[in-house]
């Protein structure tokens, strides 16, 4: 054994705490973001062994260039009709978000979360998957649910927790759930959905089904143990699942360096499990579509999971409870080098000759009207603010399949309480 | 009928349910090829294939998380957590997810998951192979918690748990896997084959969840127990000649309040018994319920006989474990009160 | 003296302890630059540096695991879990590690860790921003669990918790961060500045853990409460003119049994009040203790007034929350019994 | 949105469940193990950025070749005295393990875990670290504690839970704890020690100390969330910590493929976090020493953590409760291509002319005698079998610093119980 050390001869340690490039008062600075040109990142075959495509986790799959052309090997070559359909959903999503955000500000609900700036992540995936592939989303994929055709009306009813809320007012706004639309109940507990998606995919494989699963997590929540469990299980059983990491640079007030993004990319997590990893421009809906389709092909061929890091930017506050002005430079969103996903698709469609500014303005106006109309209908069923809820008795239902005695008793007590309050 | 110990009975439950319903899959650490460190899942992989009975990585939360996804698909996963002491990493998936999904989705996503785990002390397992964490699960709305005390019950309750459409935490008292333990650690152990409840039908039967069993009728005092403690209670009552009515709760949530009330109203005295630490243990719930519902029949306060409020020790296990002496003193106290 | 709301008082506790002892470090999600989503840690990073107040990755178990290592080194970490609803992933590190290390090492590795977390309902936070999981921690030997109800107490108790050489789970009733809530959700809220307990000394003071406070003397019935419920109890008693003695437990483990016993023996009636689900909640422990120790003084069963045994709902929050009506009915019942 | 899919056109999925190359009855098969020659894996400077040394996670650092020579860039060039000291500790560890295993079989304790075949992993690290560097071990690093000079007598007292047990019989045998020897209390809950080690290392950095931390986990337990938290925190804060993964091929009955070892190496986990990763021959004590020293240098230079995968083999049963004959080929251990660590160091010392078979036999015999002598002394203080324990009252101590009223009451009840049992 070595002798007792001379501590004086050893260097002093110090704690490194990552710090974002800018704070309130600073000018936005994205010089650390390496914007690889569209078309530059190669496209391996979707059957490529993970190790042989390791470099992909440090690349950046981009299809739409600044001019609005779709270039390079990842171009999914979608028809103008499909492109337009995607545009419509993205616009609807943004308008919907705006309306609901305002509704919260008007006291009509408790809470709201926008997906502004990240619409391509959700909508691109919807168009690349089959409608019966199963989604385990977080709270920023409303675009996907809209793309699948889930009625806006039901979404609003839920946001308002009103009499028409399919979830009986039990859940926060935004935590949608729809078995019919193959959309799992969104959880408030970050990360939990990721191993669940893997379990669903394992079940599909156990049953020799053909449906695959996809899940989304923010980059911040990749630090949760559940993300690791998901990657481990997905790797071990080669589960047919797409693990999407939406790196929107921020997790409430902490920048992606606090989640581990300073040392490497989030796509690089894939290397640790020997699974395929792609890093893509999340504001480029064609890149999202192409990467999702690639990963879906791989999964359907029993070649296992893919981690896709969507490099994007949370353009607005984390939620209605948050004020980003307190922790990041004021105009950071405008300086974001990958642009706005709606603008980029619009430009592409115009470039293709399938679209123009007038039609876009019209679409925008129409969408606002349409969403407003639905909103008026929804509000007829009540809002959280005016407290038009489901019956109090419903609170005791669905805790168990059959109500046990103690809940039945409590329901009776609760009814007595209503009675007493009235008198 | 066969003579089965509790392990064999639990294994038989798996075999039967997996045969009847190919949506049932079994997973956990060492449960596949090897058949589980306690052999409860022995032979399942061979019989039903690797896709229906398999080993998992060592990640309890991953196991339960995967089960939630499998249940969402439509399977009925049965997960083994190797020891109840290792269930803590999985608590978020159990409490925040499995337990609440039916509610959260207004019925769209029921969670027919069974989480089995050997629990309890008496095997010199030290701090991490001896714990009884049932109270934590009892507190969580949406979960059922089941604890058998005999091979017969173990099989019937496990079948019911797997067939139940809600998540069930199923704790198996490992001290009595091989034979009942009456708390006299210094006397030779008897195997299940000497006990009538080891006569176990080979075929299908289910014991409804939420129903207790009066395993020893009596007039002087009601003892509420589950798991290993049922045997300690019965033996101690015999031994001391106490006319105790011993109730094996079998399911702690939902608890069989009717059987409890009926008994306590008859005896006027109630003693609750568990291995877990006392403070905020399930015994507190039982004491609270009994005094709420039988107050005017009670002739003495409800007594709690439990493990001490310390971590589970290794060498001093028998000074920790609520055995015949502790129970005897409590009988004395409550009967003289 | 300053007028402080509970957030300011908690912040002041941090400032003082960090100033006095440079082994105190503060960490958690968003607690560094931003100062916490509820602003409890505002200004700490600026004042004490990034190495003493910093953001962590979103991994509650990682946070507590790191705290255990830091405590082993000799620091006194104070961790914020952003909402108590998100403490479940950390339970293994809290229960199996922090709580047991002193014992496991026969005193070599004490764990002076404070885990702060906003808890409880009343803010339309839905299922995952409203829970009250205190009972789970109360069941675990080796942990202390503290819940303040005023700015004055919050500061003094937090200082004591940080200075305590054992791990403390410190739940902060977020509903009353900015002002007391008396359960009348349809009446205008009053700010702390109107309440005497918002007079908070700027300097150091500690309130010993394990000591309750009689916040309203009375003769007819004892009410045991903590957190937001203390205010509901007091206001409801005022409102209905019930001569209730309201005890703010402040620490639930170890609970101040003397104060409880003294009061119940005087009033002969006891009602326990909490937001958490009823079954196996901490109210069960209180009911069990009270009937064990005051049985012959009790004129009625101990009543529990609690949240229902359902997940915490969003829109029906006021039908879930144990408010003045529920408490009023319970007063009626217990006083007429 | 795409139309409803034709499921018939999609391929059927199937679940992949990894299977080891052999089961009982099969001949051992290690053809999947690529035994790179000693000296072949390069040695980057310990300041090399993680990404630039990514290949190391697929290599295999080996110093001792089959002939017993120390070769290549990783040769730590230790003196014969140091080599001999290491040999002695390895031999002591093996003898100690044997004696305690037998003691369990004789009913003198409840449980035991051997480290046979893995002694180099623990002992090599001990000699490459400073004695005041902090260890967060699992249950198979007893060699390290012995190397640090912790008295065998105390270890045995603990195994016996007797009156001399420094932990008052509270812990299982093998779960040692010693603040004096900078050895953290071993946990029964797998994985928990890994983020703890990172926290300790962060604290050391916060305090500008110079001491680093090291931790060990089995490959099986890397699947726990705690491993991920540890890697994430270590990466984010560049914590001065060495994260050792002891890949002994088995986790009780499940082979390393069930933990994720089929798709990639465990060292590769490092890539996902952007931290340094080394994969080494764990049965080669010189490789262990060199890799540990490399990682320690890196940590002390504030360059952050290293994951070291020790490729080794669990030569015996998991514990006294286990029978590997039920799940792996009978002679798998003998077929293990990396040999036995004691044999390999012995051969090297002989090759150096510093040792011979006679002296080795003498060392072996001496060690057995010495360990037996300690054992006799320890048994005088009692064994679990004969129930000579600490006072029952000690059970209530150290739960808290000060005993609260409820524990004092319970202690009194417990004393009354003892009284009642006597009468
Ligand atoms: C288990 C858990 N811990 C903490 C939180 C609180 N929380 C809600 S959102 C959030 C930030 C998430 O960031 P990220 O994963 O990057 O997703 P984003 O919001 O950026 O889309 C936090 C910390 C939570 N919901 N669940
Ligand atoms: C949290 C937790 N889960 C499960 C166990 C049960 N268990 C003890 S050792 C072991 C296998 C560990 O394998 P590995 O990590 O490879 O270490 P090894 O025993 O091979 O050294 C298991 C599953 C445990 N102790 N803790
Ligand atoms: Mg984010
Ligand atoms: Mg192993």
């Amino acid at each position: 054994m070595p002798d007792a050390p001379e501590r004086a001869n050893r260097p002093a340690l110090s704690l490194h705490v990552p710090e974002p490039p800018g704070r309130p008062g600073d000018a936005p600075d994205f010089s650390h973001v390496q914007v690889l040109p569209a078309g530059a990142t190669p496209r391996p075959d979707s059957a490529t062994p993970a190790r042989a495509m390791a470099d992909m986790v440090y690349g950046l799959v981009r299809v739409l260039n600044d001019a609005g052309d779709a270039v390079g090997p990842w171009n999914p070559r979608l028809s103008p009709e499909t492109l337009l359909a995607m545009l419509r959903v993205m616009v609807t999503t943004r308008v919907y978000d705006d309306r609901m955000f305002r509704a919260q500000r008007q006291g009509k609900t408790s809470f709201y979360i926008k997906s502004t700036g990240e619409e391509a992540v959700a909508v691109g995936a919807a168009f690349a998957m089959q409608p019966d592939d199963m989604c385990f989303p977080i709270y920023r994929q409303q675009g996907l649910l809209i793309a699948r055709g889930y009625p806006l009306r039901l979404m609003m009813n839920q946001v308002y927790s009103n009499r028409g809320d399919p979830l009986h007012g039990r859940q926060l706004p935004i935590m949608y759930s729809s078995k019919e639309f193959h959309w799992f109940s969104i959880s408030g507990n970050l990360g939990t959905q990721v191993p669940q998606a893997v379990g669903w995919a394992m079940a599909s494989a156990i049953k020799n089904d053909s449906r695959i699963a996809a899940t989304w997590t923010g980059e911040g929540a990749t630090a949760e143990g559940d993300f690791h469990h998901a990657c481990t299980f997905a790797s071990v059983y080669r589960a047919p699942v797409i693990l999407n990491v939406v790196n929107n640079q921020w997790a409430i007030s902490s920048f992606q360096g606090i989640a581990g993004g300073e040392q490497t990319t989030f796509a690089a997590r894939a290397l640790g499990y020997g699974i395929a990893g792609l890093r893509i421009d999340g504001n480029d809906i064609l890149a999202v579509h192409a990467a999702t389709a690639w990963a879906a092909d791989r999964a359907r061929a029993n070649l296992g999971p893919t981690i896709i890091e969507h490099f994007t930017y949370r353009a607005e506050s984390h939620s209605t409870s948050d004020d980003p002005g307190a922790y990041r430079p004021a105009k950071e969103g405008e300086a974001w080098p990958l642009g706005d996903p709606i603008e980029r698709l619009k430009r592409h469609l115009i470039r293709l000759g399938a679209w123009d500014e007038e039609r876009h303005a019209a679409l925008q106006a129409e969408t606002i009207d349409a969403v407003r109309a639905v909103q008026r209908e929804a509000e007829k069923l009540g809002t959280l603010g005016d407290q038009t809820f489901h019956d109090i008795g419903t609170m005791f239902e669905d805790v168990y399949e059959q109500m046990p005695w103690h809940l039945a008793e409590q329901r009776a007590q609760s009814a007595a309480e209503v009675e007493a309050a009235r008198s | 009928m066969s003579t089965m110990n509790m392990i064999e009975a639990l294994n038989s439950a798996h075999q039967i349910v997996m045969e009847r319903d190919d949506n049932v899959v079994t997973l956990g650490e060492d449960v596949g090829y090897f058949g589980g460190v306690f052999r409860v899942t022995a032979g399942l992989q061979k019989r039903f294939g690797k896709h229906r009975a398999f080993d998992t990585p060592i990640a309890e939360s991953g196991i339960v998380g995967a089960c939630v996804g499998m249940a969402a698909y439509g399977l009925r996963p049965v997960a083994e957590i190797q020891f109840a002491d290792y269930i803590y990493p999985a608590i978020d998936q159990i409490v925040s997810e499995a337990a609440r999904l039916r509610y959260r989705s207004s019925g769209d996503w029921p969670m027919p998951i069974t989480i089995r785990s050997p629990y309890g002390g008496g095997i010199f397992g030290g701090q991490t192979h001896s714990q009884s964490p049932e109270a934590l699960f009892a507190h969580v709305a949406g979960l059922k918690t089941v604890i058998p005390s005999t091979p017969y019950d173990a099989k019937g309750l496990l079948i019911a748990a797997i067939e139940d459409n809600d998540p069930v935490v199923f704790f198996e008292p490992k001290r009595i896997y091989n034979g009942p333990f009456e708390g006299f650690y210094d006397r030779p152990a008897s195997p299940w084959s000497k006990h009538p409840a080891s006569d176990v039908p080979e075929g299908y039967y289910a014991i409804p969840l939420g129903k207790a069993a009066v395993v020893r009728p009596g007039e002087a005092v009601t003892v509420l127990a589950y798991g290993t403690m049922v045997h300690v209670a019965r033996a101690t009552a015999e031994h001391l000649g106490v006319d105790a009515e011993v109730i094996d709760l079998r399911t702690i949530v939902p608890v069989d309040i009717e059987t409890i009330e009926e008994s306590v109203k008859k005896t006027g005295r109630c003693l609750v018994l568990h291995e877990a630490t006392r403070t905020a243990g399930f015994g507190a719930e039982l004491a609270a319920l009994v005094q709420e519902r039988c107050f005017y029949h009670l002739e003495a306060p409800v007594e709690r006989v439990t493990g001490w409020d310390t971590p589970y020790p290794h060498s001093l296990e028998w000074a920790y474990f609520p055995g015949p002496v502790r129970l005897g003193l409590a009988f004395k106290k409550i009967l003289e009160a």
Side-chain angles (χ1 to χ4, degrees), chain B residues 291-311:
Chain B
Q291 66 87 34
E292 275 161 15
R293 297 177 171 253
C294 311
F295 186 76
Y296 300 102
H297 294 80
L298 282 179
E299 288 167 47
V302 183
E303 272 298 307
R304 289 186 281 174
V305 178
T306 67
W308 308 123
D309 281 320
T310 74

Side-chain angles (χ1 to χ4, degrees), chain B residues 76-295:
Chain B
R76 283 184 185 277
V78 183
E80 175 175 303
I81 301 294
Q82 200 162 82
F83 285 88
D85 315 68
Y86 306 140
I87 204 168
Y88 303 110
I91 280 190
D92 192 41
Q93 286 284 352
I94 299 174
V95 167
S96 309
E97 299 295 308
R100 301 205 180 116
L101 272 157
R102 178 190 288 281
Y103 195 75
R104 216 159 94 183
S105 67
S106 284
D108 255 8
W109 306 107
M111 287 286 127
I113 299 171
T114 304
I115 300 170
R116 296 178 35 248
S117 192
Y119 95 112
I123 61 156
F124 274 113
Q127 294 184 27
T128 53
H129 304 91
S130 307
Q131 293 167 51
S132 298
E134 69 277 8
L136 308 190
F137 301 95
H139 188 43
V140 177
L143 292 181
K144 297 180 179 173
T145 302
V146 176
I147 304 177
S149 76
T150 66
Y152 181 86
D153 281 4
K155 177 169 172 181
L157 289 167
L158 182 56
I159 289 177
I162 297 174
E163 292 185 340
D164 197 278
N165 286 325
D166 288 311
V168 178
V169 179
F170 192 94
F171 284 125
E172 300 165 3
K174 65 175 112 55
R175 181 62 179 84
I176 56 173
Y177 267 156
N178 293 304
F181 175 69
E182 305 191 327
F184 301 96
Y185 63 89
D186 39 8
R187 299 190 195 164
S190 66
W192 274 116
S193 55
K194 302 236 168 96
H195 193 285
S198 70
D199 277 348
V200 176
E202 268 154 54
Y204 174 95
Y205 67 99
I207 298 177
L209 306 187
K211 292 270 168 268
V214 179
V215 295
R216 181 183 194 272
E219 301 293 327
V221 52
T222 300
V223 179
L224 305 179
Y226 44 89
T228 305
M229 287 297 117
V230 172
H231 302 278
V232 174
R234 191 141 67 160
T236 307
E238 286 317 329
H239 185 66
L240 299 178
V242 172
D243 188 17
E245 177 145 302
V246 178
I247 297 181
D248 178 354
L249 296 178
R250 303 203 288 199
T251 302
I252 68 167
V253 175
V255 78
D256 182 352
I257 195 69
E258 275 178 36
T259 302
I260 296 173
E261 271 191 58
E262 198 179 310
S263 176
V264 177
K265 285 184 178 155
K266 177 179 74 174
T267 62
R269 290 179 160 87
C270 179
L271 193 152
V272 302
L273 189 56
H274 61 59
E275 295 179 47
T277 50
R278 173 174 307 181
T279 298
F282 192 68
E285 175 61 30
L286 291 171
L289 279 176
V290 166
Q291 66 87 34
E292 275 161 15
R293 297 177 171 253
C294 311
F295 186 76

Side-chain angles (χ1 to χ4, degrees), chain B residues 13-26:
Chain B
H14 279 87
Q15 302 268 5
I16 285 170
V17 181
M18 290 180 78
E19 179 66 41
R20 287 165 69 108
D21 180 354
D22 58 18
N23 286 324
V24 178
V25 297
T26 304

